[in-house]
Amino acid sequence: MARPDSGEAPREHAPLPDYAEEVLALVERIPPGRVMSYGAIADWLGHGGPRQVGAVMSRYGGAVGWHRVVAAAGRPPLCHEGQALRMLRAEGTPLRGNRVDMARAAWHPHEDASAAEA
DNA sequence: AATTTGACGACCG
DNA sequence: TCGGTCGCCAAAT
């Protein structure tokens, strides 16, 4: 069984679309208590768009912290918002009613390489 | 190969 | 603040 590929995260046994690998890899980097918007992910990847990120999450999001991905307005996925809000709250994510306080919870990959701030 | 979908974003009223 | 509309771009059918 020769598999020339190595180094990929064994989160899925089947070959994922290139875009899905990038999205899932970034979603898994989101620390607890923080969230990222679909648009922010697409922007960080440098290509695609918020719709593409959402489309990937709908198919493969179940393997990652999908609840840490919210809309730019701070509202979690419309399909399971109650479920997501509960998990976000359990992680200590700053919520504001049924919406995430993006002003405090918005995370960016750059922060991970720049130590923690106040 | 073409069309439709999709866990959205920004804009408008 | 809320609801409706158009646009985006890759994946699935």
Side-chain angles (χ1 to χ4, degrees):
Chain A
M1 306 91 94
R3 288 187 63 186
D5 63 285
S6 61
E8 297 299 325
R11 66 170 65 81
E12 180 58 56
H13 189 265
L16 277 115
D18 294 342
Y19 205 75
E21 291 189 38
E22 297 179 89
V23 172
L24 296 176
L26 183 54
V27 171
E28 290 191 292
R29 288 178 58 188
I30 303 174
R34 304 299 291 272
V35 298
M36 248 186 117
S37 63
Y38 297 92
I41 294 172
D43 183 60
W44 176 256
L45 295 178
H47 60 118
R51 305 288 315 246
Q52 285 51 265
V53 177
V56 169
M57 292 298 288
S58 71
R59 300 184 175 294
Y60 307 104
V64 295
W66 59 272
H67 59 276
R68 292 179 191 153
V69 184
V70 300
R75 191 165 160 175
L78 306 173
C79 33
H80 296 288
E81 64 176 281
Q83 181 77 19
L85 286 169
R86 178 177 174 77
M87 289 191 288
L88 290 168
R89 182 170 295 180
E91 293 187 348
T93 304
L95 298 180
R96 191 173 159 193
N98 284 345
R99 292 189 184 183
V100 178
D101 188 343
M102 296 300 290
R104 294 186 292 170
W107 180 79
H108 198 273
H110 179 72
E111 295 181 27
D112 185 51
S114 181
E117 83 285 356

